[in-house]
Every structure is written in structure tokens, then in C-alpha cells.
């Protein structure tokens, strides 16, 4: 496998595969083992379909309508009707990367040989991904149980040659035209195939994988900006000593403290808390930065563990298992593995941890701007306070983002609205948890960017006054300025500067600038 191709086998996928397909447009291929496994499972389904007794998902209706036995001549219509009726989403289009992750993860489960679909169905979904054809999926429609039904149904409809999709250029065009342009034949779905295409946690899982990747970078960025603020506020680095964190052995806390210590190594600004205006200790937002960020890191580690387990799973209902007497050697069993609770919980946990990280970053920014608490910095880091307002309103924007993150931290997974005539009487709301987490991740990046913007300006003011920042913070300061984010001076149009700071953080440039001096950070 080269860096541009992801080979899908019968045993799941890794988070790096999801990111490669969703964000980098990697080509997908089905392994020979996946194809043979799907063929064997299909033989089981077809044998059961030929029997007179009803089998859920094969020869019956679905959900509360599962009591009806469907005759063979109506089963193709049953699958079409299922997909069409379930493609009932509303609201704005979700992002292209989310839809690609959704499709890839459904393909991963099809390739497991547990769903009973023909290899042709999986091959057609792979062809859609490789052609850059992206179904239009809407914001609202999933309750996270039985999986992400409506979003997946919009994707399944495109396999049938129906619905809405956009081409590689992002323009929505008629689906038959898009398929024909890329030599893709629409699929005529057979027994169980419509159900297998829509019955999974793929949307919420894809968003979880991407959020974990984004948050890993943001937690490192937040350690760097916390170190910048500590240095700019003339705080003490002694609270970062490894022996202090060893006696409270949370691994995330130790990692954050070690990051901050590396960034601050050799600083001529730290350790002055006993000088002109003696302080016994720094404020919590400075002193407890590793504890708060560390708790978030440990939450992230748990979320990644859940994601890895789900990536190894085959989520469908019913599923094909070994041990039957059919020609395929298997049996079909109903189950509840489509329930999104495991994924929904960690999506909500991450939103809570991210909100708290944003909150403590904002408190450090506010301290940098307050002349009564900044230990000699000018009010609002303004050039001529009173004439200039400096970064006063930048902190307002940051505070508004923190407030929004607190609202987004309200868990979605504690809610449940029964559906399907009370057959599906407890649902996960995992899709909703994932959607709000994506908004929270973006807000967190902006909050960190504002802290970086303020702390680098404060450090430059200290440097002009003769202070000597650490080598790593000096490297960050130079990289920020090289990226077009300005330093101290008279008031100017701030919005473009803040957007430039945000781009610097989201691109990973902040972390790379620090690591150029410190070496790899956790």
C-alpha cells in the first residue's frame, strides 16, 4: 500500500485510513480477503432468502414494520423503498470530509463480510469515493440509532443512481450524469443490501476520528500558548517540575507540564514572581494549566480508545455469523450493535473537556490585558492606552467563543426521543453530539489563537524593555510575525490579524515553530 491508497480488508480500519480518505482524497481498494468474505456471507443471505420462514432484514419489513413477511417478487422494491424513505434529512449540507468519512466507514463494515451484501455493492461505493462523487447529506435526520440512518440513506440513494451529489469540483449535478461520467453503473439492490447500507454509526464515528486528530494538535498548541502567557506574566516555571506531577500520576498532566517546561527552557523572564511585586504563587489559570489541559488529554486518550474499538467493529443489524447450515456456512442474527451510545458519550466528553480548555485560556488572556494583574504590561497591551484600545475587544470575541463552547458542552447523549412507533424507544443522539463537537473544535482553535496573539504581543513588549524570552518562545514569536500576524503598535483593523492567527494555529505552524527548538512535543 502506498501513501495514496488505502486497502480495505475484513478486519476494520485505522484512524489514519479515515483521515487519508476523508481529508486527503486517498484511493480505496478492496482486498481479496474482503471480496471472498463478502461472497461467502452473501451465499448465506441468499440461502435464507429462499426459505419460507421470515428472516429479519432479509425477507421482512423493518423497525416497527418487521412483522410483515415480504414475498420474493417485492424484495427489490423493499430495498429501494427503504433507502428512498430513509433519505429524509433536512437542513444545510454537511461538510465533504464528513460525507467521505461516512462512506468509507460504511464500506469498511461492508468489507467485513458480516453484512451479507454482494461484493458489487462495496465495489460501487469504492468507485464513488475514488471518483470524488460526494452525496449531499443534510444536517438533521440522525438519532444515532439504528445508526446514522438518514445520512447513510442519502449516500445509498446515490449508489442506486438517485438523490443528490456533487462532483469533484463541488458542484451539485444530476446523479445519473455524474455516475455515467465516471463509468459507474447504478446498483439494483437485493435482499438485505439497502438495510446494510444505512445501519451503522459511521457518521458519528468519522467525526469522532477527525475531532480526535484535531484536538491532539490543539492540546499541544494550548500547552505552548499557556507557556507563552506564563512567561509574559513573569510567572514561575517551578510548578512544571516533573517530580510534582509524578506524585499525582495522571499521564496527560505530566505530558502538558513537560511540554510547557520545554518551551520555557532558558527563559530570562520566568521566576521573577518574587521581584518588584512579590507573589507567593501564580493564579490558577497559570499554575493549574497542566492539570486542566492534562485532564483533557486523558479524556482524549479514552475517546481514541473507543474510536479504535469502533473502527475494528462490524456494525449492522442483522449480521452474518459463522456456524450456520446454509451454503455459505453462516447464520443471520439480529443485534443492537448499531446503538451509538459508546461513540456519543465520548463525543460529549470531548466537548466538555474542550470547553474547559478554552475557558482557562481566556482567563490567561484577560490577565495579560489587565494592568492590575499583568505585572507591568500596558492596559490591554495598547500602544497609547486611552487613545488606543489595544486588544480589549479581541478578548470580548474570545469570551463570546468560550460562552458558545459552554453551551456546546451540554451533552446530547443524555437525550432520547423514541421513534418508529416505540420500537426504537431509546436512541443515542450521537450524530448531534458529533455535530456540536465540530463547532466546538473550531471555536477552541480560535480561542487559542487569541491567547497566542495576546501573549506574543506581551512578550514583544517585555523584550523591548530588556526581557529575554526562551529560545522556543522567541522562535514562535518570529514565526508568528513571518506569517503576517503583527506585533505591538497603534490600533488597526483587528479581524484580519485574528484570522491570520487562527490560520497559524489550525495549520500546525504554531506547534512546528516551537518544536523547531524543543524537539517533538506530546
Amino acid at each position: 500500500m502506498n501513501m495514496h491508497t488505502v486497502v480495505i480488508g475484513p478486519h476494520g480500519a485505522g484512524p489514519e485510513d479515515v483521515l487519508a480518505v476523508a481529508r486527503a482524497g486517498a484511493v480505496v481498494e478492496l482486498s481479496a480477503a474482503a471480496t471472498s468474505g463478502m461472497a461467502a456471507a452473501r451465499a448465506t443471505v441468499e440461502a435464507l432468502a429462499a426459505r419460507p420462514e421470515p428472516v429479519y432484514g432479509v425477507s421482512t419489513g423493518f423497525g416497527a414494520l418487521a412483522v410483515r413477511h415480504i414475498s420474493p417478487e417485492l424484495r427489490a422494491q423493499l430495498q429501494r423503498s427503504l433507502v428512498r424513505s430513509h433519505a429524509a434529512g433536512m437542513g444545510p449540507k454537511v461538510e465533504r470530509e464528513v460525507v467521505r468519512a461516512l462512506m468509507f466507514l460504511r464500506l469498511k463494515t461492508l468489507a467485513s463480510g458480516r453484512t451479507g451484501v454482494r461484493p458489487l455493492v462495496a465495489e460501487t461505493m469504492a468507485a464513488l469515493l475514488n471518483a470524488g462523487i460526494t452525496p449531499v447529506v443534510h444536517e438533521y435526520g440522525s438519532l444515532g440509532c439504528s445508526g446514522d440512518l438518514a445520512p447513510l440513506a442519502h449516500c445509498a440513494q446515490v449508489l442506486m443512481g438517485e438523490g443528490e451529489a456533487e462532483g469533484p469540483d463541488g458542484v451539485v449535478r444530476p446523479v445519473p450524469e455524474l455516475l455515467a461520467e465516471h463509468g459507474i453503473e447504478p446498483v439494483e439492490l437485493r435482499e438485505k443490501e439497502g438495510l446494510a447500507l444505512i445501519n451503522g454509526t459511521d457518521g458519528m464515528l468519522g467525526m469522532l476520528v477527525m475531532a480526535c486528530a484535531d484536538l491532539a494538535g490543539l492540546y499541544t498548541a494550548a500547552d505552548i500558548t499557556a507557556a507563552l502567557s506564563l512567561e509574559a506574566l513573569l510567572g514561575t516555571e517551578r510548578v512544571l517540575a516533573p517530580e510534582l506531577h509524578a506524585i499525582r500520576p495522571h499521564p496527560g498532566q505530566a505530558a502538558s507540564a513537560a511540554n510547557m517546561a520545554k518551551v520555557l527552557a532558558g527563559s530570562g523572564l520566568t521566576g521573577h514572581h518574587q521581584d518588584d511585586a512579590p507573589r507567593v504563587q501564580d493564579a490558577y489559570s497559570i499554575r493549574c494549566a497542566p492539570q486542566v489541559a492534562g485532564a483533557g488529554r486523558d479524556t482524549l486518550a479514552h475517546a481514541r480508545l473507543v474510536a479504535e474499538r469502533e473502527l475494528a467493529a462490524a456494525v449492522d443489524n442483522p449480521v452474518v455469523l459463522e456456524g450456520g447450515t446454509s451454503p455459505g456456512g453462516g447464520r443471520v442474527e439480529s443485534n443492537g450493535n448499531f446503538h451509538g451510545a459508546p461513540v456519543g458519550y465520548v463525543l460529549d466528553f470531548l466537548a466538555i473537556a474542550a470547553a474547559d480548555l478554552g475557558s482557562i485560556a481566556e482567563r490567561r488572556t484577560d490577565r495579560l490585558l489587565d494592568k492590575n494583574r499583568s505585572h507591568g504590561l500596558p492596559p490591554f497591551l495598547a500602544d497609547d492606552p486611552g487613545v488606543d484600545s489595544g486588544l480589549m475587544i479581541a478578548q470580548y470575541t474570545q469570551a463570546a467563543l468560550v460562552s458558545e463552547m459552554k453551551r456546546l458542552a451540554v451533552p446530547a447523549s443524555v437525550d432520547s426521543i423514541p421513534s418508529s412507533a416505540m420500537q426504537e424507544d431509546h436512541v443515542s443522539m450521537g450524530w448531534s453530539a458529533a455535530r456540536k463537537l465540530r463547532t466546538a473544535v473550531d471555536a477552541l482553535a480560535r480561542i487559542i489563537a487569541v491567547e497566542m496573539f495576546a501573549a506574543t504581543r506581551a512578550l514583544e513588549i517585555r523584550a523591548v524593555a530588556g526581557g529575554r524570552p526562551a529560545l522556543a518562545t522567541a522562535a514562535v514569536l518570529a514565526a508568528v510575525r513571518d506569517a503576517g500576524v503583527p506585533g505591538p503598535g497603534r490600533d488597526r483593523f483587528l479581524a484580519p490579524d485574528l484570522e491570520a492567527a487562527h490560520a497559524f494555529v489550525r495549520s500546525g505552524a504554531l506547534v512546528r515553530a516551537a518544536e523547531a527548538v524543543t524537539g517533538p512535543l506530546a
Side-chain angles (χ1 to χ4, degrees):
M1 183 176 70
N2 62 47
M3 63 181 294
H4 302 293
T5 302
V6 172
V7 178
I8 307 172
H11 302 299
E16 68 282 355
D17 298 327
V18 178
L19 296 171
V21 174
R23 290 181 164 171
V27 171
V28 297
E29 293 180 2
L30 292 163
S31 72
T35 301
S36 62
M38 285 187 282
R42 184 64 198 174
T44 295
V45 169
E46 290 181 354
L48 292 170
R51 294 180 180 178
E53 61 267 28
V55 177
Y56 175 69
V58 176
S59 53
T60 70
F62 310 106
L65 302 177
V67 293
R68 178 177 172 181
H69 181 250
I70 307 298
S71 58
E73 66 273 10
L74 293 176
R75 289 177 189 168
Q77 180 182 332
L78 170 68
Q79 301 302 315
R80 286 194 301 271
S81 297
L82 174 72
V83 172
R84 288 169 178 167
S85 65
H86 284 51
M90 294 182 72
K93 291 191 302 180
V94 302
E95 302 83 4
R96 183 184 183 91
E97 68 176 15
V98 172
V99 181
R100 286 185 61 82
L102 172 81
M103 294 171 67
F104 172 74
L105 290 168
R106 184 73 328 219
L107 179 58
K108 177 267 298 182
T109 285
L110 299 182
S112 71
R114 300 293 184 185
T115 69
V117 305
R118 291 167 293 157
L120 172 66
V121 177
E123 290 162 359
T124 304
M125 184 169 281
L128 287 180
L129 283 166
N130 292 338
I133 296 172
T134 306
V136 173
V137 172
H138 299 279
E139 182 79 19
Y140 306 109
S142 174
L143 300 181
C145 187
S146 303
D148 294 315
L149 288 172
L152 283 163
H154 282 278
C155 296
Q157 204 173 14
V158 175
L159 264 70
M160 295 165 45
E162 303 177 5
E164 297 179 297
E166 59 183 41
D169 58 0
V171 177
V172 176
R173 293 164 54 196
V175 170
E177 179 183 308
L178 283 169
L179 297 187
E181 193 172 281
H182 292 88
I184 301 171
E185 288 288 329
V187 177
E188 180 73 28
L189 299 178
R190 297 181 185 171
E191 292 94 345
K192 187 165 183 313
E193 291 179 336
L195 187 60
L197 286 169
I198 67 173
N199 210 341
T201 57
D202 309 292
M204 63 183 95
L205 176 59
M207 287 186 274
L208 173 61
V209 170
M210 290 186 284
C212 285
D214 292 340
L215 286 169
L218 290 176
Y219 271 98
T220 305
D223 290 339
I224 296 168
T225 58
L228 297 176
S229 293
L230 183 153
E231 189 175 35
L233 289 167
L234 308 180
T236 176
E237 79 286 5
R238 291 174 63 180
V239 295
L240 306 175
E243 55 269 30
L244 289 174
H245 301 280
I247 62 174
R248 193 188 191 194
H250 295 290
Q253 176 180 325
S256 282
N259 281 349
M260 291 180 65
K262 287 179 181 179
V263 172
L264 292 170
S267 173
L269 290 168
T270 58
H272 294 286
H273 59 296
Q274 291 292 324
D275 291 355
D276 296 335
R279 287 164 278 156
V280 175
Q281 50 195 2
D282 292 315
Y284 282 11
S285 60
I286 303 296
R287 189 172 12 130
C288 302
Q291 285 77 6
V292 173
R297 283 175 170 272
D298 292 341
T299 302
L300 177 59
H302 173 62
R304 285 175 139 167
L305 176 62
V306 171
E308 287 167 6
R309 290 170 177 165
E310 197 76 356
L311 285 167
V315 178
D316 193 16
N317 179 48
V319 292
V320 180
L321 300 176
E322 295 83 3
T325 57
S326 70
R331 68 187 196 276
V332 170
E333 297 286 357
S334 291
N335 67 92
N337 283 345
F338 50 73
H339 200 287
V343 181
Y345 291 169
V346 293
L347 288 162
D348 281 334
F349 296 164
L350 289 174
I352 291 168
D356 202 34
L357 185 64
S359 178
I360 197 170
E362 182 276 329
R363 288 293 79 206
R364 291 190 294 263
T365 304
D366 181 67
R367 186 166 287 271
L368 288 165
L369 305 187
D370 183 354
K371 69 180 181 66
N372 296 312
R373 294 179 292 144
S374 67
H375 311 291
L377 292 169
F380 304 106
L381 305 180
D383 185 69
D384 184 5
V387 174
D388 293 315
S389 295
L391 304 189
M392 179 190 295
I393 308 304
Q395 184 267 334
Y396 283 35
T397 299
Q398 191 186 39
L401 287 161
V402 170
S403 183
E404 177 70 8
M405 288 193 74
K406 291 175 181 178
R407 291 189 290 273
L408 293 167
V410 175
S413 58
V414 297
D415 189 23
S416 175
I417 297 180
S419 56
S420 193
M422 291 297 286
Q423 175 71 5
E424 299 171 6
D425 59 352
H426 182 82
V427 297
S428 77
M429 295 298 180
W431 173 274
S432 299
R435 295 305 295 164
K436 68 184 183 64
L437 178 59
R438 282 181 69 83
T439 305
V441 169
D442 181 70
L444 177 60
R446 295 177 187 280
I447 290 165
I448 292 170
V450 174
E451 182 181 16
M452 181 196 76
F453 189 76
T456 52
R457 177 177 282 204
L459 282 169
E460 203 157 359
I461 291 169
R462 296 285 193 201
V464 168
R468 180 176 52 80
L471 290 177
T473 56
V476 167
L477 188 59
V480 168
R481 298 296 173 253
D482 288 345
V485 182
R490 302 302 302 267
D491 279 358
R492 51 181 284 157
F493 182 23
L494 265 186
D497 298 342
L498 295 177
E499 282 302 325
H502 174 237
F504 189 80
V505 170
R506 282 309 295 259
S507 69
L510 169 61
V511 174
R512 290 192 298 272
E515 287 183 332
V517 174
T518 65
L521 297 171

